[in-house]
Each structure stands twice: as structure tokens, then as C-alpha cells.
Amino acid sequence: MSTLTTTPVTRRLSLLKPTGHLTLGNLLGALRPMAAQQHEADCFYGIADLHSLTVAHDPARLRELVTEQATLLLAVGLDASTLFVQSRVPTHSQLGYLLECVATTGELNRMIQFKEKGHGVGSTRVSLYTYPALMAADILLYRPTQVPVGDDQRQHVELTRDLAMRFNTTYGQVFTIPEITVPPAGARVMDLADPTSKMGKTGGRADRAGVIHLRDSPDVVRRKVARAVTDSDTGALSVRADRSLKPGVTNLLEILAACGGSTDGITTYGALKKAVTDAVVATLSPIQASYAELAADPAHVTEVYAVGAERCRSVTAPVLAAAQAALGL
């Protein structure tokens, strides 16, 4: 049996799948909190391109989205973190297979996301079924003591803990057992056309009316906000937050607040939408300017991610080696 001695370190890890163009929801709900954590911990932020292969995809589009997302992560200010592309750190897929050898079909059968994506589909990719083992590898490689996780991924992190404990009990103390924590609350941004659904980057056309992308021009932002769902209320108190009765108006008010705008003097939906437009454009403008500069210097972006991948390899190699030795390899 093999053991791995670890030095306690506060590490945070987040991976984003390049399944679509990053949105205002991604910025306010995830990227801003990630940037705020950079100086409090050793942060590893990755682009989970391997996870994008679990469903049908266009290789050329995947490469395009990875390049765009890599540039945007820098543009939003994640420059004090270790940035990497998952597929360029081979330890992720290597440990992923080893954990497949620890997981059971019963456990994977219970994974909700696999059930949802496979529901009504005649056949799915094997990688969609084994995806939780790769996600467990993503986490355990970095030996985090805490893993912030939302409700949609909680089951996968619980499986990660189970696999780590089973491995340690059976083969030796290799993995740190991470505690599940509630992530800092970011802004909850909903789809402008369907304020009961999150503003997501996946699925549909790239110009979906209810989704504001980080690279949308001011005119596009204005058009999308102008078409945002509100309601038929025209009374003196029409502009007020009430998620159950006025989800569209509430969403606009929350976007306005998250973008640093003010509701002072706003009494009509037209005025609210103008204020939201101005606040969103002001928020996106510096990001877009930074993106343009970075896109004009792709060699710099490539170097940042190459350095990040090298650091990831050096940090994760001892964990993989210990797991391999423990298994008898």
C-alpha cells in the first residue's frame, strides 16, 4: 500500500465546460466570485473540454469555444490564478480511469444528470455514464480540503468523497477527503425571455433573445433587454421585486443591482430597461476592450495557459503516482 503525505493548503478549483459562449449570468454568478477569491487562496480555474465530449459535438466549434473562453477568463480578471485547459493536463484522464476501477455501476446508475440526459434517448456515449469518475479525478488531483458546490453538482461531489474514502480504506491513504461547502452567493441571473430559467450558455441558437453574452455589442444588449419579459402591471408600485409574481421585473432589478446600477427615480418598465441596458453595457465594456487586446496577442494567451498546465502537471503528478502505486501499477 502507498500513502501520500500532504501539506495543508487552501486551494479552490473550478472548471467550466466550453459548451457555449459565456454569458452575463456566468460573469455575475461565477466569474466575479472566482476573481474575488484569487488573493485568498491558491486558485485553479480550468476549461473542462474533456467533459464536452460526453455528448455529440462539432470539433471545430469546440476548439473555437475553448479559445474564446480561455481569452475571456483572462479578460474578466482571472490573472492571479492558475489557468489551464483540462485535456492538456493528462493526469485528469489518467486518474479518471483509475477511479472508474473503484466506482460501481450501481453508483453511476444513480447519477441524476446521466438519467436526465439519457432519458428518452436510445443510446448515449459511455463517457456520459463514467463522467462522474472524471469529475472526481478533477477534484481529488488537487487535494482540496473544501469543495464549493451548487445543488446541481452536489451528488457528484458526494460520489467523489465516497470514492476517495473507499480507495483510502482499500489501498492506502492517498486522497484528501474534501468537505462540501456552499459557494459564495453570486448574482442569480435568469433568462430575459424566460425568467423562470437560468441564463445558460448551453443549447439553442447563439443569438437567443433572452441570453446576454459577454461579447454582445451595446446594440445587441439594448435589443435583448428591450424585449425582456415583464408583466402587464402599470401601477405606481409596478417596478418592485417579487420573484413569484413578477419574475421578469425581479430579474431586471437584480441584474441592475449586480451591475452597479441604481433604481432611484425608476417608476416605469421603460426606464428600468434603459437603466439595465446602461449598467450592463458599462459592465461589459472593459471586458470587451480587454478581450480585444488579448485576442490580438494569441501567443500571450497560449503562454499563460501553457504555464498553467505545467503547474497543474507538477501539482497533480504526485497524487497520480501515489494512486498508481497503491493500486499495484
Side-chain angles (χ1 to χ4, degrees):
M1 292 189 179
S2 176
T3 61
L4 181 65
T5 302
T6 63
T7 300
V9 61
T10 301
R11 280 196 181 133
R12 291 198 174 98
L13 173 75
S14 290
L15 277 78
L16 290 80
K17 286 197 292 186
T19 52
H21 301 290
L22 290 174
T23 71
L24 181 67
N26 296 133
L27 175 67
L28 301 179
L31 299 177
R32 271 190 175 176
M34 287 162 61
Q37 296 166 0
Q38 291 182 113
H39 303 290
E40 303 171 358
D42 189 12
C43 296
F44 290 79
Y45 296 141
I47 299 174
D49 55 342
L50 292 176
H51 290 305
S52 296
L53 307 184
T54 59
V55 295
H57 72 286
D58 176 353
R61 175 171 166 77
L62 175 59
R63 283 190 289 269
E64 175 188 319
L65 289 171
V66 168
T67 298
E68 179 184 79
Q69 193 167 106
T71 307
L72 277 170
L73 292 186
L74 281 172
V76 301
L78 296 178
D79 52 1
S81 305
T82 299
L83 300 177
F84 66 99
V85 177
Q86 182 190 30
S87 64
R88 295 169 197 170
V89 184
T91 46
H92 283 256
S93 53
Q94 289 173 294
L95 183 60
Y97 175 73
L98 299 186
L99 293 178
E100 287 179 19
C101 298
V102 178
T104 67
T105 56
E107 289 170 321
L108 298 182
N109 285 337
R110 290 192 293 271
M111 294 295 104
I112 294 174
Q113 289 202 7
F114 172 71
K115 290 181 179 180
E116 291 178 345
K117 291 184 178 180
H119 181 69
V121 178
S123 178
T124 60
R125 297 186 177 186
V126 173
S127 56
L128 181 63
Y129 184 66
T130 60
Y131 152 78
L134 179 57
M135 181 176 174
D138 295 336
I139 296 169
L140 295 177
L141 278 168
Y142 295 86
R143 295 175 286 178
T145 55
Q146 296 182 338
V147 178
V149 62
D151 289 339
D152 59 336
Q153 292 293 343
R154 187 179 185 89
Q155 187 187 41
H156 288 154
V157 180
E158 289 172 347
L159 175 63
T160 297
R161 285 172 47 82
D162 291 343
L163 295 180
M165 287 187 283
R166 183 181 308 146
F167 190 106
N168 288 352
T169 300
T170 307
Y171 302 108
Q173 295 296 314
V174 171
F175 300 119
T176 298
I177 310 300
E179 295 295 328
I180 297 175
T181 62
V182 178
R188 185 185 183 192
V189 181
M190 312 303 282
D191 191 294
L192 297 178
D194 178 12
T196 62
S197 301
K198 288 175 60 177
M199 184 182 286
K201 66 180 182 295
T202 303
R205 293 165 39 190
D207 62 346
R208 286 174 298 159
V211 178
I212 296 175
H213 296 101
L214 298 189
R215 296 183 61 197
D216 280 350
S217 69
D219 284 343
V220 171
V221 171
R222 187 172 296 107
R223 183 167 63 251
K224 290 180 177 180
V225 175
R227 295 174 180 173
V229 170
T230 51
D231 53 53
S232 59
D233 190 358
T234 58
L237 299 178
S238 59
V239 180
R240 71 181 192 279
D242 187 326
R243 188 165 291 281
S244 61
L245 297 178
K246 304 171 75 67
V249 176
T250 301
N251 188 38
L252 290 173
L253 288 169
E254 292 181 350
I255 291 173
L256 179 61
C259 290
S262 171
T263 59
D264 290 348
I266 295 178
T267 58
T268 66
Y269 293 156
L272 174 61
K273 290 182 175 181
K274 181 181 185 307
V276 170
T277 297
D278 292 343
V280 170
V281 169
T283 296
L284 296 185
S285 179
I287 294 172
Q288 293 174 354
S290 179
Y291 179 89
E293 292 181 9
L294 290 163
D297 187 7
H300 170 68
V301 177
T302 298
E303 176 64 15
V304 168
Y305 280 82
V307 171
E310 178 58 34
R311 179 161 188 250
C312 289
R313 288 191 288 269
S314 67
V315 166
T316 61
V319 182
L320 175 65
Q324 290 172 324
L327 287 166
L329 301 179

